[in-house]
Amino acid sequence: MNGRPQRDVGIIGTFNGRILAGEVETSPADFTQEHITHDLSTNAGIGADIHLMGAIHPISAANREIAETQGNSHDMELRTPTSPNLQ
């Protein structure tokens, strides 16, 4: 391609006039530290205001803390819905 690493965003949209981007996984274990870092970096690159990190089952407190800390460094709010609240 163009020599840059490929990036993807699973979900992108607007929420109350702000850009929301992120991922929803079946298993919260899919959110490794590397995955979280990649997602937040990608979302910051597209100018997201809100980072969505959703899963069918609850995401661990440790992974939420990683995402919140990294999100704060990008001035991004964190949203972590779980089933049945994935709307």
Side-chain angles (χ1 to χ4, degrees):
M1 303 228 325
N2 60 10
R4 287 187 250 161
Q6 184 176 354
R7 303 272 183 161
D8 68 83
V9 175
I11 295 174
I12 188 166
T14 60
F15 181 75
N16 292 333
R18 298 164 62 205
I19 298 172
L20 175 141
E23 299 281 338
V24 174
E25 301 289 354
T26 303
S27 171
D30 291 339
F31 288 112
T32 63
Q33 184 167 356
E34 294 79 20
H35 186 152
I36 294 167
T37 298
H38 173 268
D39 287 352
L40 280 157
S41 173
T42 300
N43 295 347
I46 63 170
D49 302 299
I50 302 168
H51 175 66
L52 176 74
M53 191 168 87
I56 302 300
H57 302 288
I59 297 167
S60 73
N63 281 350
R64 284 193 318 272
E65 184 175 332
I66 290 167
E68 190 159 352
T69 299
Q70 290 185 21
N72 287 342
S73 72
H74 294 291
D75 294 323
M76 233 181 293
E77 178 185 336
L78 175 64
R79 297 267 174 156
T80 57
T82 57
S83 182
N85 300 315
L86 288 174
Q87 307 92 333

